[in-house]
Amino acid sequence: MKVRVILEDNKGLVKGWLILGVASLLFAGVLAGLLVVSRTPYVQNVIPWLDFFHTALVVHVDLSVLIWFVAFAGVLWSMYGSSALVIPGFAALGIAAIGTLVIAASPFVGARNPLMNNYIPVLDDPIFLVGIGIFFAGFVLLVVRSVITLPLHKALTAEDTDTRFGLSSAAVVAVVAIVCFILSIRSIPSGINGLTYYELAFWAGGHILQFMHTMLMIVVWFLLAKAIMPGFEVNRRLAIGVFGIILIVAVCSPVIFAMYTTESQAHRDIFTELMEYGVGTSVVVSAALIVMAIASKYKAPQTSHLLAALISSLSLFAAGGIIGFLIEGVNVIIPAHYHGVIVGVTLAYMGFTYYLLPRLGYGEPSYRLARLQAYVYGSGQLLHITGLAMAGGYGVQRKVAGAAQGLDSAKKLLSMGLMGIGGMVAVIGGVLFLVVTISAIRAKR
């Protein structure tokens, strides 16, 4: 693929958002190791800080999903936006970085009271909540700048049409997510607090934020496919259809607030159905298109590390989607589902990071190690979610650790043991990503 030139004024923004994302993964990875060990049979008995499990889990999820994903949105939007409003762009980056530091440090300065609500779990503590508020302010400023600058870039070629449409659509969806967060908070009845309050506050906006993440993942899939297969092109009408379906569904979603009260079950159910049916079709079409192209056009072994990331991303996202159809009740099948789809997004971003590093003036990543990393991380996560899905089928509950898991049968022990082994393999894969990426950053050309 002919690489488009990143505008010099925006290159600092691209680097800054990438480093913020990698830094959030670095700390999240440390917490991930503790979390996996704390749920692995027998090993969990020698961990002296199980009371720290939920606190660490909250911060891990927010760093590895919310902040990493938003930071990579900043990478993509800064790459393809014009150089207008550069100062607000750096302000958004700085504000988000300060919020990230507060969130990461909060458990170590006394923040407690973990609440395991969906999408954006929180520590119900002023320190942590201030950090989330600061990060959200940076996100809002990033989205506003992106909505303005993406259409203004005049130097994009015809080959960039599908990319810019996808990125612009994702930015509009981000605006809708922000609106849904605000509407949710404003409409929560007085007297509701604690876990229920944050569950209602983040339910609608959290769902729409997943629309944004999915659209950006599809954009990266297309970009990786173009880098791997120079002859690969996305049909313009197909691209508009893929992104247009998600965009239309998302833009219409605030109407739900006029139809159902925020605390009603119907409100919760309809947002879930929007994500299931509004996103699913576009993902399936995009994945099928790329898989067929790989089977017929792949002839570039020098991009095998990018291919490894793309295949692993497609596989994990598909596995997570399939497991989603098995969900019944509140058990660990639920985290098996969302770990699959979340890691699908993460692997796509990891692959694009390898592609991007030398184009930002950093060194070339080790292709051999990068290829190994993608397969190790992907296979580890596949074992991890397989173990969780099996354990959920045997009744193991989610969001618990230690003896509270009730591992009273060989099937439960074996399933959670598989989960633990896969999780530790995935942690090794995550460490390899950091090693490859940081080594390339340090080896500037």
Side-chain angles (χ1 to χ4, degrees), residues 221 309-322 340 344 347 378 382 385:
W221 280 354
L310 181 56
I311 290 175
S312 299
S313 174
L314 289 165
S315 301
L316 263 294
F317 199 93
I322 292 170
L347 276 161
L382 190 59
I385 67 174

Side-chain angles (χ1 to χ4, degrees), residues 190-389:
S190 59
I192 293 179
N193 49 41
L195 177 64
T196 303
Y197 177 87
Y198 292 108
E199 185 77 8
L200 297 178
F202 297 138
W203 185 260
H207 273 81
I208 302 304
L209 208 57
Q210 307 315 302
F211 285 36
M212 181 195 86
H213 296 327
T214 302
M215 297 173 87
L216 294 175
M217 177 190 68
I218 294 173
V219 167
V220 171
W221 280 354
F222 288 158
L223 290 172
L224 286 174
K226 291 178 181 180
I228 294 166
M229 300 166 288
F232 176 83
E233 289 298 333
V234 182
N235 181 280
R236 188 174 302 177
R237 292 181 180 178
L238 180 61
I240 291 174
V242 163
F243 296 118
I245 292 172
I246 303 177
L247 177 62
I248 292 170
V249 172
V251 168
C252 294
S253 64
V255 176
I256 298 170
F257 286 88
M259 299 169 59
Y260 304 105
T261 58
T262 306
E263 72 277 14
S264 68
Q265 187 61 44
H267 176 93
R268 295 172 59 86
D269 290 344
I270 197 167
F271 270 102
T272 302
E273 291 169 1
L274 284 179
M275 187 166 65
E276 182 178 349
Y277 298 109
V279 174
T281 302
S282 293
V283 172
V284 170
V285 170
S286 303
L289 179 67
I290 292 170
V291 169
M292 288 188 293
I294 291 173
S296 62
K297 295 184 178 181
Y298 177 68
K299 297 177 182 178
Q302 69 271 22
T303 59
S304 60
H305 60 303
L306 303 183
L307 178 66
L310 181 56
I311 290 175
S312 299
S313 174
L314 289 165
S315 301
L316 263 294
F317 199 93
I322 292 170
I323 290 173
F325 290 105
L326 305 177
I327 294 175
E328 288 185 7
V330 182
N331 53 52
V332 290
I333 294 178
I334 296 173
H337 156 67
Y338 67 67
H339 270 92
V341 296
I342 285 171
V343 172
V345 179
T346 292
L347 276 161
Y349 289 172
M350 286 176 169
F352 196 69
T353 297
Y354 295 148
Y355 170 79
L356 195 58
L357 285 169
R359 291 158 180 84
L360 290 174
Y362 299 122
E364 291 278 353
S366 168
Y367 296 154
R368 182 184 62 82
L369 198 57
R371 181 173 64 252
L372 176 66
Q373 181 274 322
Y375 287 132
V376 168
Y377 187 64
S379 59
Q381 287 289 3
L382 190 59
L383 290 174
H384 181 77
I385 67 174
T386 300
L388 283 174

Side-chain angles (χ1 to χ4, degrees), residues 5 12 24 41 55 118 121 147 153 203 241 257 282 301 355 373 417 426:
V5 177
S24 69
T55 300
N118 286 289
V147 168
H153 199 322
W203 185 260
F257 286 88
S282 293
Y355 170 79
Q373 181 274 322

Side-chain angles (χ1 to χ4, degrees), residues 126-140:
I127 299 172
F128 179 88
L129 295 176
V130 165
I132 282 288
I134 294 172
F135 182 81
F136 184 75
F139 172 61
V140 171

Side-chain angles (χ1 to χ4, degrees), residues 26-228:
L26 177 61
F27 192 78
V30 173
L31 295 174
L34 296 176
L35 290 169
V36 169
V37 170
S38 71
R39 300 194 69 176
T40 302
Y42 303 115
V43 181
Q44 66 191 21
N45 298 328
V46 300
I47 300 298
W49 52 79
L50 284 181
D51 57 329
F52 192 65
F53 172 82
H54 289 102
T55 300
L57 181 57
V58 166
V59 179
H60 166 76
V61 170
D62 288 334
L63 288 172
S64 62
V65 181
L66 175 67
I67 295 173
W68 160 243
F69 283 7
V70 167
F72 218 88
V75 169
L76 294 167
W77 287 334
S78 299
M79 277 185 66
Y80 284 85
S82 75
S83 58
L85 303 175
V86 172
I87 293 177
F90 277 103
L93 174 60
I95 293 170
I98 292 171
T100 301
L101 285 173
V102 175
I103 292 168
S106 60
F108 304 100
V109 292
R112 291 293 184 269
N113 302 320
L115 299 177
M116 305 309 300
N117 52 284
N118 286 289
Y119 291 112
I120 306 177
V122 302
L123 303 180
D124 194 10
D125 185 280
I127 299 172
F128 179 88
L129 295 176
V130 165
I132 282 288
I134 294 172
F135 182 81
F136 184 75
F139 172 61
V140 171
L141 188 54
L142 167 67
V143 171
V144 171
R145 179 183 185 266
S146 301
V147 168
I148 295 171
T149 58
L150 283 167
L152 294 179
H153 199 322
K154 304 301 183 184
L156 297 181
T157 66
E159 295 177 353
D160 292 315
T161 302
D162 57 294
T163 300
R164 181 159 62 173
F165 182 77
L167 292 175
S168 298
S169 299
V172 173
V173 170
V175 173
V176 177
I178 293 168
V179 170
C180 285
F181 282 129
I182 295 171
L183 290 175
S184 294
I185 293 171
R186 288 173 58 90
S187 61
I188 297 175
S190 59
I192 293 179
N193 49 41
L195 177 64
T196 303
Y197 177 87
Y198 292 108
E199 185 77 8
L200 297 178
F202 297 138
W203 185 260
H207 273 81
I208 302 304
L209 208 57
Q210 307 315 302
F211 285 36
M212 181 195 86
H213 296 327
T214 302
M215 297 173 87
L216 294 175
M217 177 190 68
I218 294 173
V219 167
V220 171
W221 280 354
F222 288 158
L223 290 172
L224 286 174
K226 291 178 181 180
I228 294 166

Side-chain angles (χ1 to χ4, degrees), residues 15 18-19 357-364 440-441 443-445:
K15 289 182 177 180
L18 182 62
I19 290 173
L357 285 169
R359 291 158 180 84
L360 290 174
Y362 299 122
E364 291 278 353
I441 289 174
K444 288 188 176 182
R445 289 184 300 174

